[in-house]
Amino acid sequence: MERTLLRCRACGYIIGGDKLKDVCPACGLPKTVFEPYKENISPKRAFILNLHMHPIAVHFPQAFVVVLIPFIILGIILGQIFGRNFLISARVLSLLLPVFSLPAILTGLIDAKVRFKKLTTPALKTKMIFAGLFFVITCAIAVIVFLFGFQANAAAAVIILLILCLGCQIVLGHIGSKLFSARLGG
């Protein structure tokens, strides 16, 4: 049985016809702005994309990067007694960062292949470059933390690398948000 879909003409939000209430859940305009919508991809591709594997996998390394900077700073500022737990947590997260980056990258490749049937579009090439750079930086962070911990110079280097990671994540998120609703038909 084919599901009836509706799309908000104002914001593009797509919803099952049986789920629409009085207003668009995204923009709040009345349901009169909705129009019938037909998915232009195969049910198998739609199923895979609707699992949202890539957006879910991306949140782990994003969260790690955001939390690591204050953990390192607090660990250093609070000293041996109170800061120790922050530095232990930062060490574990630093070592896991490249491990959790791999699923984000792999699910991104799967998502792109299912969504666009190829990986050679300009936006995808840019995403792959920044994802690769992100992964290399996370590996460098893990190596530094493994070898040197958070001694003064090592901590400073790790914070700088984390800021670079954050920059990569911003670029990746910016490009990804533009691609999220794009799908090649068929």
Side-chain angles (χ1 to χ4, degrees):
M1 182 172 127
E2 192 171 316
R3 198 174 109 180
T4 303
L5 296 174
L6 301 171
R7 184 178 67 86
C8 177
R9 287 189 307 267
C11 72
Y13 186 81
I14 298 169
I15 189 170
D18 58 333
K19 303 245 191 269
L20 181 61
K21 304 294 184 219
D22 294 330
V23 297
C24 174
C27 69
L29 289 177
K31 68 179 181 179
T32 56
V33 301
F34 277 82
E35 62 188 2
Y37 176 78
K38 176 126 173 75
E39 190 77 72
N40 67 347
I41 64 172
S42 71
K44 180 181 176 183
R45 287 177 59 215
F47 175 78
I48 293 169
L49 292 174
N50 289 333
L51 290 174
H52 302 293
M53 294 181 301
H54 181 58
I56 292 168
V58 163
H59 283 84
F60 291 101
Q62 285 176 338
F64 285 14
V65 168
V66 171
V67 193
L68 272 166
I69 296 171
F71 275 24
I72 294 167
I73 293 169
L74 285 170
I76 292 168
I77 290 173
L78 295 176
Q80 184 63 23
I81 296 172
F82 297 109
R84 185 171 186 267
N85 289 332
F86 282 108
L87 290 178
I88 291 170
S89 298
R91 182 177 178 88
V92 170
L93 291 175
S94 295
L95 297 174
L96 289 175
L97 186 54
V99 174
F100 278 87
S101 298
L102 279 178
I105 293 168
L106 293 176
T107 58
L109 291 170
I110 292 167
D111 186 276
K113 184 73 173 167
V114 170
R115 191 176 297 273
F116 300 109
K117 298 183 180 179
K118 58 183 178 179
L119 300 174
T120 56
T121 70
L124 295 177
K125 285 179 183 178
T126 303
K127 279 195 74 158
M128 286 188 281
I129 290 167
F130 277 91
L133 179 61
F134 178 79
F135 182 69
V136 168
I137 296 170
T138 64
C139 290
I141 290 168
V143 168
I144 291 168
V145 170
F146 181 77
L147 295 176
F148 306 106
F150 293 107
Q151 300 167 14
N153 291 339
V158 168
I159 289 173
I160 290 168
L161 291 173
L162 286 168
I163 292 168
L164 290 174
C165 280
L166 192 56
C168 287
Q169 288 175 323
I170 289 168
V171 171
L172 289 164
H174 181 72
I175 296 168
S177 67
K178 291 179 179 180
L179 298 176
F180 190 72
S181 60
R183 296 175 179 184
L184 190 63

